[in-house]
Amino acid sequence: MNHNGSKEKFSSTLAVFFATLGSALGLGNIWKFPYVTGENGGAAFIIVYLLFILLMGIPVMLGEFFIGRHTNCNAIGAFNKLKNGRHFKFIGWLGFITAFFILFFYSAVGGWVLSYFFKALKGDFASLGSLPVEEATTLASSIFNETMGHSFYPMMWQFIMIAIVAIILMAGIKKGIEKVTKTLMPVLLVLILICVIRALSLPKAMEGINFLLYPDFSKLTTDSIVNAMGLAFFKLSLALGVMITYSSYFSKDTNLVGTSFKVAFSDVLISMLAGLAIFPVVFQFGLAPSEGPGLLFQSIPLAFASLPFGNVLLSVFFLLTGIAATTAMISLLEVPVSILSQEFHLNRKSSVIICSAIVITVGVITVHPESIFGGTTIFGLSFFDFFDYVTAKLIMPFCGILISIFIGYFVPRKDFINEITNEGTLLKNNTLSPIICFSLKFIAPILISLILITSLGLI
Ligand code: PHE
């Protein structure tokens, strides 16, 4: 086995920030976070979520940054290089598999987003705006069913989406991941701001804002807490090797603590902006808030199309969603790609081809729309819900516990602190490092275990 690790690095702090944020931003910000927030008590839920980020998200992210940058290696090779790491190497393997699991359904949705972007550009949703709500709703569903009911088109779009990501990854770290995320992240921000401004200028904007932000502590249930944890893992792309892989491309002077805070908070902010872009419009047209594919492919076209220049706005919206999905997929595919190229001596191009071929064969063939909206089920869940549940609510928290335990108990504390403070040059006389270590030792593993056990119904 080859443990030479990665030679290419991101070229600046900004590149590190945009690439890492690119991984965090994704469909989760658009169809999940805003809705889950609205349903679970608005600002009250955000407080819980932020607590999770501070107590668990940022420490686990820093644990991964330590593993990746210290060893300069992919998610599996990294554990070989660390003291006591060999026993934890299976975390890397779990990450390898989970990245594929997520890619199977994520790429399908990415494909539909792409197809909806072109539909919006062509003006296919224009007629929705002029019909009475009921007829428009039927039409919106029939556009969706027509596009997705056909097995060829969704497969073709999914294929295109995977091909785009593969081409970017073939170009490498600097010319591929860095260049693309550095260009696309600012574009995404501008596009989302356009949508927010339009949405907030609607007469019923307040209803949407209330849904998203009004603090209602009575809505905080055990379920909300489980949701907040799953969301924190999924949103911050934690515990499946993405952050280990990316941080192996960080240079020795990257500020790890600063990056983790900046990425986590920018991600929450973008989710809030997405909510402000979506819910005022949804409420304006008397639609019920929802999440997932129903929100993205039915309610949103329906609501946005009713606005003047609705098609333009819809194109902007699907473009920004497509960008978010692409940069998240780049980071997901990079996990197995870096493993194949570093551990199995394959060149980058062949690794990208093999990994995308796996996503295409398994993902494109299994994740049909009917399996997402019903049809084939595993343990009573559609394929889509199954992959979503198994990854965000089981494997990611489980690996999160293992990473915290590994860093908290098996890695020499001095090595960890030296790495996150850049050999003591950052955070001088800091109180933060002991807090992070305490969290990795006690808070994160206990908290995640308790929630995992509760969500499995074991207590
Ligand atoms: N963070 C991404 C999102 O919110 C999804 C993702 C999960 C990306 C895990 C990479 C790894 O959509």
Side-chain angles (χ1 to χ4, degrees), residues 393-458:
K393 296 205 176 132
L394 291 180
I395 306 181
M396 291 162 100
F398 177 63
C399 289
I401 298 174
L402 294 176
I403 290 174
S404 337
I405 292 179
F406 174 57
I407 306 281
Y409 296 91
F410 293 88
V411 164
R413 188 180 159 116
K414 189 171 63 59
D415 289 0
F416 177 68
I417 293 190
N418 271 344
E419 192 68 44
I420 65 166
T421 58
N422 292 359
E423 308 300 325
T425 54
L426 297 173
L427 305 170
K428 284 187 186 135
N429 310 322
N430 74 91
T431 43
L432 205 59
S433 307
I435 300 178
I436 292 166
C437 290
F438 182 79
S439 166
L440 284 168
K441 235 180 164 136
F442 303 107
I443 306 178
I446 295 174
L447 195 65
I448 307 170
S449 307
L450 276 179
I451 297 170
L452 193 60
I453 292 169
T454 317
S455 75
L456 289 175
L458 299 178

Side-chain angles (χ1 to χ4, degrees), residues 55 87 96 137 147 159 222 315 318 329 360 369 399 412 456:
L55 295 176
H87 314 295
F96 180 85
T137 313
T147 324
F159 182 88
T222 320
S315 314
F318 281 112
M329 279 175 65
I360 287 168
C399 289
L456 289 175

Side-chain angles (χ1 to χ4, degrees), residues 23-29 102 106 234-237 240 242 328 331-332 396:
S23 170
L25 294 186
L27 295 166
N29 299 68
I102 299 181
Y106 214 85
F234 190 79
K235 280 303 318 111
L236 297 180
S237 316
L240 49 75
V242 167
S331 71
L332 280 164
M396 291 162 100

Side-chain angles (χ1 to χ4, degrees), residues 73-79 89 91-93 240-241 244-245 335 338-339:
C73 244
N74 63 84
I76 292 177
F79 287 97
K89 204 163 89 179
I91 298 179
W93 281 109
L240 49 75
I244 299 180
T245 311
V335 174
S338 64
I339 290 174

